[in-house]
Amino acid sequence: MKKLILTLGIILGFTQIFAQTALKQQTDWLSSYLNKLVVEDDDRKMNVNGHKSKPVFSFAGNKMLMNISTKEENFSMGFNISWLLKDVRKVSYQKQKDGFYKLKLDVPADRIKMDLGFGKDNSVSGSFNVKDEYKDDNNTSFTLDTKDETLVKEVVQRFESAIREAKK
């Protein structure tokens, strides 16, 4: 009986390690490609306090993080948005009129966490969760700097795989 319990424990341990490895492989790939594809050229860069800023994506386990910041001589501003992959209800994409694609993540607004800091060195900061009475239609979307639908489909598949792993 002790050997059976030990064997089951080892099997469960390997299963957990494999799941963490699979999730990390997906999120590492997603970080790399999102950082390349989202808002890559001058026309698609975001403005923060009147200055160009590029979002930076990362993952901490099953948490997706997006950081947007700008820094000037006497002022800096940082905006961080995060949510758990298991809270993403659907991943989809849509071709835009200009031929580029928009990636859409359906995440309930009350599951999104935001951190905002501003001042000389983000000295004034706050953290809050979004509350939304329309929880059935909450899309976070990103314009991708690609006209390659095959690549966009792979981004969607990798997200879906990461979400499945996060829900285990």
Side-chain angles (χ1 to χ4, degrees), residues 47-110:
N47 282 307
V48 177
N49 197 33
H51 292 83
K52 301 285 185 188
S53 182
K54 184 176 183 338
V56 176
F57 296 87
S58 62
F59 291 83
N62 70 350
K63 183 189 244 185
M64 181 175 174
L65 305 136
M66 182 177 80
N67 176 292
I68 303 169
S69 63
T70 186
K71 189 166 187 159
E72 301 171 33
E73 185 177 329
N74 293 318
F75 182 82
S76 66
M77 181 173 179
F79 189 61
N80 300 304
I81 303 170
S82 65
W83 56 83
L84 298 178
L85 285 171
K86 69 179 184 172
D87 291 333
V88 179
R89 295 184 290 205
K90 183 179 178 185
V91 182
S92 60
Y93 68 92
Q94 180 179 23
K95 189 172 187 174
Q96 302 299 295
K97 290 179 184 178
D98 60 3
F100 291 95
Y101 287 89
K102 184 172 282 197
L103 177 68
K104 295 180 180 181
L105 303 177
D106 180 6
V107 183
D110 65 340

Side-chain angles (χ1 to χ4, degrees), residues 4-23:
L4 177 62
I5 292 172
L6 180 61
T7 303
L8 288 174
I10 291 171
I11 291 170
L12 290 173
F14 281 128
T15 303
Q16 182 68 22
I17 290 169
F18 177 75
Q20 289 173 350
T21 302
L23 177 63

